[in-house]
Short mmCIF file of all heavy atoms in Angstrom, two decimals:
data_model
loop_
_atom_site.label_atom_id
_atom_site.label_comp_id
_atom_site.label_asym_id
_atom_site.label_seq_id
_atom_site.Cartn_x
_atom_site.Cartn_y
_atom_site.Cartn_z
N VAL A 94 121.60 79.18 71.33
CA VAL A 94 122.58 80.03 72.14
C VAL A 94 122.31 81.48 71.83
O VAL A 94 122.41 82.34 72.75
CB VAL A 94 124.04 79.68 71.78
CG1 VAL A 94 124.97 80.60 72.47
CG2 VAL A 94 124.33 78.22 72.14
N MET A 97 120.33 83.65 74.26
CA MET A 97 120.93 84.10 75.53
C MET A 97 121.22 85.57 75.49
O MET A 97 121.50 86.26 76.50
CB MET A 97 122.30 83.39 75.81
CG MET A 97 122.13 81.87 75.92
SD MET A 97 121.05 81.35 77.21
CE MET A 97 119.90 80.34 76.25
N ILE A 101 125.72 87.83 71.74
CA ILE A 101 126.51 86.67 72.09
C ILE A 101 126.87 85.86 70.85
O ILE A 101 126.01 85.55 70.01
CB ILE A 101 125.72 85.77 73.09
CG1 ILE A 101 125.72 86.51 74.48
CG2 ILE A 101 126.38 84.37 73.24
CD1 ILE A 101 124.78 85.92 75.48
N ASP A 102 128.17 85.60 70.72
CA ASP A 102 128.66 84.77 69.65
C ASP A 102 128.31 83.30 69.96
O ASP A 102 128.85 82.77 71.01
CB ASP A 102 130.14 84.96 69.48
CG ASP A 102 130.74 84.09 68.38
OD1 ASP A 102 130.13 83.02 68.06
OD2 ASP A 102 131.80 84.45 67.83
N PRO A 103 127.48 82.60 69.22
CA PRO A 103 127.03 81.28 69.59
C PRO A 103 128.16 80.25 69.63
O PRO A 103 128.07 79.24 70.30
CB PRO A 103 125.99 80.90 68.56
CG PRO A 103 126.27 81.84 67.42
CD PRO A 103 126.90 83.04 67.96
N TYR A 104 129.25 80.49 68.90
CA TYR A 104 130.33 79.51 68.89
C TYR A 104 131.31 79.73 70.05
O TYR A 104 131.85 78.80 70.58
CB TYR A 104 131.06 79.54 67.58
CG TYR A 104 130.01 79.09 66.45
CD1 TYR A 104 129.39 80.06 65.74
CD2 TYR A 104 129.72 77.79 66.26
CE1 TYR A 104 128.37 79.68 64.84
CE2 TYR A 104 128.77 77.37 65.35
CZ TYR A 104 128.10 78.35 64.58
OH TYR A 104 127.12 77.95 63.72
N GLU A 105 131.44 80.97 70.44
CA GLU A 105 132.22 81.29 71.62
C GLU A 105 131.39 81.01 72.90
O GLU A 105 131.91 80.45 73.84
CB GLU A 105 132.60 82.79 71.62
CG GLU A 105 133.59 83.21 72.69
CD GLU A 105 133.93 84.64 72.51
OE1 GLU A 105 134.17 85.08 71.39
OE2 GLU A 105 133.97 85.33 73.57
N GLY A 106 130.09 81.36 72.83
CA GLY A 106 129.19 81.02 73.91
C GLY A 106 129.25 82.03 75.09
O GLY A 106 129.89 83.04 75.04
N VAL A 107 128.57 81.61 76.17
CA VAL A 107 128.43 82.49 77.33
C VAL A 107 128.32 81.59 78.58
O VAL A 107 127.81 80.46 78.47
CB VAL A 107 127.21 83.43 77.19
CG1 VAL A 107 125.90 82.59 77.09
CG2 VAL A 107 127.12 84.42 78.32
N GLU A 108 128.83 82.06 79.68
CA GLU A 108 128.68 81.29 80.91
C GLU A 108 127.17 81.21 81.31
O GLU A 108 126.46 82.25 81.21
CB GLU A 108 129.43 81.99 82.07
CG GLU A 108 130.91 81.86 82.00
CD GLU A 108 131.59 82.52 83.26
OE1 GLU A 108 131.57 83.70 83.31
OE2 GLU A 108 132.02 81.75 84.13
N ILE A 192 129.81 75.77 79.23
CA ILE A 192 129.65 77.06 78.58
C ILE A 192 128.48 76.87 77.58
O ILE A 192 128.43 75.84 76.83
CB ILE A 192 130.88 77.47 77.82
CG1 ILE A 192 132.04 77.65 78.73
CG2 ILE A 192 130.62 78.73 77.00
CD1 ILE A 192 132.02 78.93 79.57
N LEU A 193 127.56 77.78 77.58
CA LEU A 193 126.42 77.68 76.64
C LEU A 193 126.97 78.12 75.25
O LEU A 193 127.03 79.26 74.92
CB LEU A 193 125.29 78.63 77.04
CG LEU A 193 124.64 78.28 78.39
CD1 LEU A 193 123.60 79.36 78.72
CD2 LEU A 193 123.91 76.95 78.25
N ASN A 194 127.39 77.14 74.51
CA ASN A 194 127.84 77.38 73.15
C ASN A 194 127.20 76.41 72.18
O ASN A 194 126.48 75.46 72.62
CB ASN A 194 129.43 77.36 73.03
CG ASN A 194 129.95 76.05 73.47
OD1 ASN A 194 129.35 75.00 73.45
ND2 ASN A 194 131.22 76.09 73.95
N ALA A 195 127.40 76.61 70.90
CA ALA A 195 126.73 75.79 69.87
C ALA A 195 127.10 74.35 70.06
O ALA A 195 126.27 73.44 69.78
CB ALA A 195 127.11 76.28 68.50
#
Side-chain angles (χ1 to χ4, degrees):
V94 176
M97 302 300 124
I101 288 167
D102 178 335
Y104 297 95
E105 190 178 315
V107 62
E108 285 185 287
I192 297 285
L193 295 173
N194 57 27

